[in-house]
Structures are given as C-alpha cells and as structure tokens.
Amino acid sequence: MSRLFAFLACLMLSAPVLAADPPPVLTYKDLLARPAVTGGIRLTYGSDLQQFGDLWLPRGAGPHPLLVLIHGGCWLGDVPAFDLMNPMAKALSDAGVAVWNIEYRRLGQPGGGYPGTFQDVAAATDHVRALADAHKLDLSRVAVAGHSAGGHLALWAAGRAQLPADSPLKTANPLNLRGVVSLAGIVDLRDYRERGPTACGGPDTVDRLTDAARRGSAAFTDTSPGEAPVKDLALTLISGTRDIIVPPTFAQHYAAKATGPEVRELEIDGAGHFELIDPQSGTWPVIQAEIRDRLRR
C-alpha cells in the first residue's frame, strides 16, 4: 500500500499545473459602490457651477508640496468621476502632499468642450497661486497628475507654454510645474481617435472635445499633447497591462516622442484601468512613489 501512495504522490507532483484565471480587474462600478470619501475644502476658481475644486491639506504647518489632480470620465459631463479621486487625494494628504482635486466643464454641460474644458483646467491650475498663502502651499513644488481623460488634460496643462500664440487657450505666465504623472492617460488625441477602443465613445467624442467639425485639421494643434510632447518637465506615464480602455501602447508611443529631462514609462503587471487610482490596490505604492518623486526639489 505504501508503494501505491508513493506512486500516486509522484503522479501528482509530475502532473502539469494549470494556471489559475487571473483575478478580475477593478471596475468603475466597484469604485462607485464603495462608501464616499470626504474631507477636502470646497473652493471655487470661477463663477460657473463646475468651476470648483476640493483642497486636501496634510497635517502640519507647511509649506506643503501640492499635486493638481484631474479626474477622467471621457470628458463627459454625465459621468460622475470627480468623487472617484477623493480616496487618492486623502491618501496623498495623509502622506504629506496637499492635493487640489479639480472639477471642470465637460461635454454636454454649458461651456464644455473646446475651448471651455481646457480653459477651466488652465484657470484651476493657475488658481493655485491664489491659494498658496492662506493654505501654506509650496509653489516651488507643484506637480500635476490625471487619470484617463484627466491624464490627457494633465499633460496638456503641463505643456501650455508650447501652445500656438494665436490659440484661445494660450495664457500668459502659466504656473510653473515640477513634473507630471499620467495614470492610464489618453496622452495623444490623434492616436486615440485613430486606433483607440470605443469605451469613451470612439472618434465622435474626440471630435466633440476638439471641435473638429468647425476647426478641421487644426483641431489637434492646441488640444493634444501628442502634437508637442512635454519637453521641460519630468514625466511619468503609468499603465496597467490589463487596461482595455487605454492600453499601454498609447503611453509607449508618447514616451518614444517625449524629450523631457526625465521620462519614465511604467507598466504595472496585472493592473487594469481603475487600479491606478485606488489606494487599496497593490499598485498604490508605485503611484505614490512616482508622485512624490515628481514633487521633489
């Protein structure tokens, strides 16, 4: 009998091990189902109902480094994406980083699209100067980060100095930034329009955002970071290998064109689209480390 047991044990050890199915990726519905995270200071940067942000402050006297945080949601006004960034904002503020989580006018809302969406992001970013004294913010350590469509807007905000002089989006003296972090960002509108998944509505959404019907071939010149990649700032592009909304190939293509002082393109194995904004996920140590690094002196 002992020989039989030994034989069976050998069979079990030598049998091929079938790989288990990977765990499901985090979804938008998963995040919405969680308890709401609150605690930021609600402040406005304009007169429209959508021109506001939540300022999350660390403990201590400051001055605090600041991250301007831009939510995604396909640039669409009917997608409740702003509050999804609050867990990330709270986690960063608990770790010593002030966060300005901004809202902006989006497609389907009055003033959303071109030029309003872009003008709001610019105004909200520059409004940091008005917040600095009262809230002890360190203007020498400001970075910007965004998720998905917000990643597009983060890179756009970081590259505003390169906008064409005749663009209605051009502003004088944009806020100095130390770095930019794209989290599954749609970093090149032309590229995403041509070969991106349809999760955000396909080419029609990009065309609405850029006012392509009216502007024609000029639609990308002042709206897409892919036309003039960031060159003066430290840049991190982070993707999940299982992201089907913004697959890593878009960050790869952008990184190949970027000429900044430091460009990092990171792919987190097993992560999907929404793990990148979830402090409870295994991706968070990487996300937090990159943000803190982009805020260093």
Side-chain angles (χ1 to χ4, degrees):
M1 183 66 70
S2 60
R3 291 181 180 180
L4 176 60
F5 282 138
F7 176 70
L8 292 174
C10 289
L11 283 179
M12 292 176 66
L13 289 173
S14 61
V17 178
L18 298 178
D21 291 336
V25 296
L26 192 67
T27 69
Y28 181 72
K29 291 182 178 179
D30 293 333
L31 294 180
L32 287 177
R34 293 180 180 176
V37 174
T38 59
I41 304 168
R42 180 62 52 90
L43 300 165
T44 61
Y45 63 87
S47 58
D48 190 90
L49 291 177
Q50 296 301 112
Q51 293 172 331
F52 68 87
D54 284 353
L55 182 63
W56 295 75
L57 294 173
R59 295 182 178 180
H64 309 293
L66 174 76
L67 181 73
V68 178
L69 186 59
I70 309 177
H71 71 78
C74 298
W75 312 279
L76 299 173
D78 59 356
V79 177
F82 174 80
D83 290 340
L84 294 187
M85 308 305 282
N86 282 341
M88 183 176 172
K90 183 180 187 304
L92 287 169
S93 64
D94 288 346
V97 175
V99 179
W100 177 223
N101 180 23
I102 66 168
E103 184 58 283
Y104 50 92
R105 291 173 290 175
R106 294 177 272 159
L107 294 172
Q109 298 171 336
Y114 186 91
T117 293
F118 299 90
Q119 291 172 335
D120 284 1
V121 170
T125 302
D126 291 343
H127 190 66
V128 168
R129 293 191 183 103
L131 302 176
D133 288 345
H135 299 286
K136 303 298 186 290
L137 306 178
D138 185 350
L139 291 179
S140 71
R141 289 188 293 165
V142 181
V144 60
H147 175 245
S148 195
H152 154 251
L153 292 170
L155 263 69
W156 177 87
R160 284 189 293 147
Q162 302 179 70
L163 291 176
D166 60 350
S167 169
L169 308 183
K170 184 78 171 181
T171 57
N173 192 28
L175 181 72
N176 287 327
L177 300 170
R178 297 197 66 82
V180 56
V181 178
S182 165
L183 304 171
I186 302 174
V187 292
D188 187 325
L189 293 182
R190 189 190 300 273
D191 193 16
Y192 198 75
R193 185 191 187 282
E194 291 178 355
R195 61 186 189 89
T198 59
C200 280
D204 179 66
T205 301
V206 175
D207 290 347
R208 291 170 60 202
L209 176 71
T210 60
D211 196 11
R214 181 180 64 86
R215 302 179 68 216
S217 60
F220 295 114
T221 58
D222 58 355
T223 60
S224 177
E227 303 301 292
V230 172
K231 62 181 180 180
D232 298 323
L233 299 178
L235 166 66
T236 300
L237 304 152
I238 304 179
S239 305
T241 60
R242 296 174 65 197
D243 189 342
I244 62 172
I245 298 174
V246 188
T249 180
F250 294 99
Q252 294 167 5
H253 286 191
Y254 184 92
K257 297 188 294 183
T259 58
E262 186 175 12
V263 179
R264 287 201 284 267
E265 191 263 321
L266 307 178
E267 296 172 20
I268 300 180
D269 189 43
H273 192 66
F274 293 101
E275 281 84 355
L276 303 191
I277 60 170
D278 178 20
Q280 299 180 32
S281 78
T283 69
W284 183 245
V286 175
I287 305 298
Q288 181 169 272
E290 285 300 313
I291 288 171
R292 294 187 69 91
D293 188 63
R294 294 317 186 201
L295 287 164
R296 73 185 187 278
R297 289 188 182 275

